[in-house]
Amino acid sequence: GEERASIASLLTFSWVGSLLAAGRRRPLEAEDVPALSQEDSAAHNAGLLHAAWEGEVARRGGLDASFFGAAHAAFGRYFWASAGYKLVNDVFIFVNPALINVIVGYINGDASQAGLSRGGAFGCAAAMFLAAEVQSLALGQYFFRGFRLGLRVRAAIGQVVYDKALRMTAEQRACFGVGPIVSYMQIDAAKIADAVPYLHGIWSCLLQLGIATSMLYSVLGPAAFAGLGIMVAMLPLNVWVGKKQAVFTKRIMRARDGRVSLISEVLQGVRMLKLFAWEPPTLAEVRAKRAVELSALTRGALFGTVSTFLWGAAPIFVTVATFALFAAVSPDPLTAPKAFTSLTLFTLMRFPLNSLPNQITRVIDLSVSFRRLTKFLSAEELAPLPLDAPLEQPPTLRPPSAA
């Protein structure tokens, strides 16, 4: 199992090899699957989140408490510990462009690589392979820890929301409704869990863009700032797109809550519907709710298509502008080492350029879920009944005395 695995086995995930081999030979049984560790259990993680929320309320007050602060207090240490793997991956990404510049310069016979021997060139090629291996191992560990944390967060949110619903007053429970409560447990929890593995992408994208731009400047000179200028110019557009995406997300969530709430009421009162033959008007109302939700989903998808096109075209604009400016202002020719190194760096810049707007949008969407959960967890609860409180004795009924 994972608890007994060595460091090499943990890095390469070979500790699951026996389970995969058994699944290849025959269908897996419950006894074949390793027992869930205490750190991954729903009860453990729900306890961490509940204690963190209670601490947040005690520290900031019920009205100013933040679910984000509670989640960070409960899972922040594990979340930030995985940032080291992402940092290693980001650093080793840029080893290959530097080595490509050396190898292509050696093949091209540049004077700058005159002292490089054939053995040194093969050593550079081997270093490229080793850098790719380190990058792969680091990225695998990062996503493994990220998705594991996402599952922990999802289980904890579902349990905490369910416990809160049991402790709420009848007025507050009726105010929120069954549909939104189910949405908190399923949709909001899933959205936060799915976003956890990618939240480090914000600083990672900025780091990759900074390193790539500095390396491009060392290769192409001031022409590298043409691409940087386009990226900076597109930031306001990306912010506006993120805000609009948040508006569409709110509309979709509101329409979905209404539809889920109505369907829950229909399922609870299905006997009355059948008794009074209310199926046609009820079905019409459900279809109307669904039409509103589909309209919001369609508008959000169309807007997402336009934003995806703009973000996908950004790397092309950056490449064209950089090479055009280099050809216009630089007295040096565009040699093969410069061209191959620059194209490699532009390829590496494509991911952070496309991913950074998505990360911004993801954070904005998460802020909506965090506010929804904060509002729900801050709702009024029933007063706790002490278990050792003395029970009130009922009054003794006596027969009326005879006149």
Side-chain angles (χ1 to χ4, degrees):
E2 183 182 3
E3 293 79 8
R4 302 177 181 177
S6 62
I7 297 178
S9 179
L10 291 175
L11 287 175
T12 58
F13 299 103
S14 60
W15 56 273
V16 297
S18 59
L19 180 64
L20 298 178
R24 182 181 180 182
R25 294 190 303 266
R26 56 177 175 77
L28 293 176
E29 302 292 341
E31 295 77 10
D32 299 325
V33 181
L36 189 68
S37 63
Q38 177 66 21
E39 290 77 11
D40 294 328
S41 64
H44 174 75
N45 292 286
L48 290 178
L49 185 57
H50 180 73
W53 173 255
E54 294 295 333
E56 181 76 9
V57 172
R59 184 173 62 255
R60 304 180 58 179
L63 297 179
D64 297 330
S66 170
F67 180 78
F68 171 78
H72 186 271
F75 307 105
R77 180 177 300 179
Y78 189 89
F79 173 78
W80 289 110
S82 62
Y85 295 102
K86 193 70 174 73
L87 181 61
V88 172
N89 171 77
D90 293 347
V91 171
F92 276 85
I93 280 178
F94 295 96
V95 173
N96 284 353
L99 295 176
I100 286 176
N101 187 30
V102 175
I103 293 175
V104 175
Y106 170 77
I107 297 174
N108 199 41
D110 290 354
S112 59
Q113 307 299 335
L116 184 64
S117 62
R118 178 175 296 183
F122 280 108
C124 290
M128 292 179 63
F129 172 77
L130 293 178
E133 288 297 317
V134 173
Q135 175 191 344
S136 176
L137 291 175
L139 192 62
Q141 289 295 321
Y142 165 72
F143 276 113
F144 173 73
R145 294 173 65 91
F147 283 108
R148 165 178 272 183
L149 180 59
L151 290 176
R152 293 178 179 179
V153 171
R154 183 173 185 175
I157 292 177
Q159 186 66 38
V160 169
V161 170
Y162 181 77
D163 293 342
K164 178 67 177 183
L166 296 179
R167 299 193 308 267
M168 293 174 63
T169 61
E171 294 79 7
Q172 289 292 326
R173 192 181 298 112
C175 180
F176 282 96
V178 178
I181 294 177
V182 174
S183 179
Y184 299 149
M185 297 175 58
Q186 296 181 354
I187 298 174
D188 290 285
K191 181 177 293 187
I192 296 175
D194 294 340
V196 166
Y198 305 99
L199 290 180
H200 285 296
I202 298 177
W203 64 263
S204 176
C205 290
L206 296 176
L207 177 63
Q208 292 183 31
L209 289 176
I211 296 176
T213 303
S214 62
M215 294 182 68
L216 277 174
Y217 179 78
S218 65
V219 174
L220 299 178
F225 290 107
L228 181 62
I230 292 179
M231 289 186 289
V232 173
M234 293 189 67
L235 282 179
L237 178 62
N238 294 334
V239 173
W240 178 81
V241 169
K243 291 181 178 179
K244 292 293 293 183
Q245 193 70 36
V247 173
F248 284 113
T249 301
K250 290 181 180 179
R251 293 176 181 175
I252 292 172
M253 299 296 289
R254 191 183 305 114
R256 183 175 293 145
D257 290 345
R259 191 255 306 171
V260 173
S261 178
L262 177 61
I263 292 179
S264 300
E265 294 177 3
V266 170
L267 294 177
Q268 292 176 2
V270 65
R271 292 185 178 180
M272 297 297 296
L273 293 177
K274 292 291 186 179
L275 180 62
F276 292 99
W278 286 346
E279 295 97 330
T282 304
L283 181 60
E285 189 173 357
V286 171
R287 288 177 175 174
K289 292 286 186 180
R290 181 58 177 167
V292 173
E293 182 183 5
L294 289 177
S295 177
L297 287 171
T298 302
R299 293 182 180 182
L302 291 176
F303 184 80
T305 302
V306 176
S307 61
T308 302
F309 169 76
L310 294 176
W311 296 334
I316 300 176
F317 296 153
V318 170
T319 304
V320 172
T322 302
F323 279 133
L325 185 60
F326 179 82
V329 302
S330 178
D332 299 328
L334 186 63
T335 60
K338 292 182 178 180
F340 279 100
T341 304
S342 301
L343 289 175
T344 304
L345 290 173
F346 283 133
T347 302
L348 294 179
M349 292 176 66
R350 182 182 296 272
F351 174 76
L353 279 174
N354 290 334
S355 179
L356 184 59
N358 294 332
Q359 301 297 336
I360 297 174
T361 303
R362 181 177 286 113
V363 170
I364 295 175
D365 289 343
L366 287 182
S367 66
V368 176
S369 297
F370 283 136
R371 285 194 296 267
R372 284 160 54 91
L373 290 172
T374 300
K375 181 181 178 181
F376 175 76
L377 295 178
S378 301
E380 184 181 358
E381 299 182 2
L382 293 171
L385 180 62
L387 297 179
D388 56 351
L391 298 177
E392 296 182 359
Q393 296 294 333
T396 303
L397 299 179
R398 298 180 178 178
S401 58

